[in-house]
Each structure stands twice: as structure tokens, then as C-alpha cells.
Amino acid sequence: MADKVTVKRDGQDKAVIDFIDRAQNRQEAYHARLDSYAILRHRFRHGKSTEKKIELHNLCVEALMVVVHFDLHHRPLWET
């Protein structure tokens, strides 16, 4: 969990507001890529016990994060 959060407020420099907007857009685009995987949109039904289900679900989420990270490395959100 983050210790500090930055939000837009009246009176901030335009550069700060633009930075926050870009960060928010990157986060939304990243989450949109994660949402494109059906396993995260449907109920997870694998494993017999609650502990095993949590373990397998965490494994799937971590694997998808690696795939999306790899994808972002080779196909960035925005070309600069």
C-alpha cells in the first residue's frame, strides 16, 4: 500500500496537473490490458480448498502481470 497519494488540487502548476493526468492515463491503459484476459473477468473456480484457490488465483494474476509487462516492453502504451 502506498504511503503517500498525489491528487489534483486547485492552484497546482499546469506541469503537475499534466504529470498526474499522464500517470492516471498510463494506469488506466495498463488495467485495460489486464482486463482483456477473461480469467480476471470470471469467477475463479480452480482448487479444492480456499487456500489452494487463493494460491492458484495469485499465480494466475502474477503470470498475467508478467505477460502484460512483457507486452508493454515490446508494445508501449504510447510511442515517445
Side-chain angles (χ1 to χ4, degrees), residues 45-59:
R45 301 181 187 271
H46 305 285
K48 300 270 185 203
S49 67
T50 301
E51 293 80 19
K52 189 64 173 175
K53 288 179 182 186
I54 291 171
E55 179 185 336
L56 291 172
H57 187 265
N58 286 341
L59 179 70

Side-chain angles (χ1 to χ4, degrees), residues 10 14 20 33 35-42 46 55 57-58 63 71 78 80:
D10 292 335
K14 180 167 173 28
I20 294 170
R33 286 191 187 193
D35 286 343
S36 69
Y37 293 93
I39 196 165
L40 296 179
R41 287 193 306 258
H42 301 289
H46 305 285
E55 179 185 336
H57 187 265
N58 286 341
D71 188 40
W78 295 276
T80 56

Side-chain angles (χ1 to χ4, degrees), residues 53-68:
K53 288 179 182 186
I54 291 171
E55 179 185 336
L56 291 172
H57 187 265
N58 286 341
L59 179 70
C60 289
V61 171
E62 288 175 13
L64 288 178
M65 291 171 74
V66 169
V67 169
V68 170

Side-chain angles (χ1 to χ4, degrees), residues 10-38:
D10 292 335
Q12 287 178 325
D13 271 351
K14 180 167 173 28
V16 172
I17 291 173
D18 289 346
F19 174 79
I20 294 170
D21 285 342
R22 285 194 313 273
Q24 185 176 5
N25 288 338
R26 279 192 304 269
Q27 182 180 11
E28 289 174 0
Y30 174 77
H31 286 216
R33 286 191 187 193
L34 282 176
D35 286 343
S36 69
Y37 293 93

Side-chain angles (χ1 to χ4, degrees), residues 1-5:
M1 195 58 109
D3 292 335
K4 297 181 181 181
V5 176

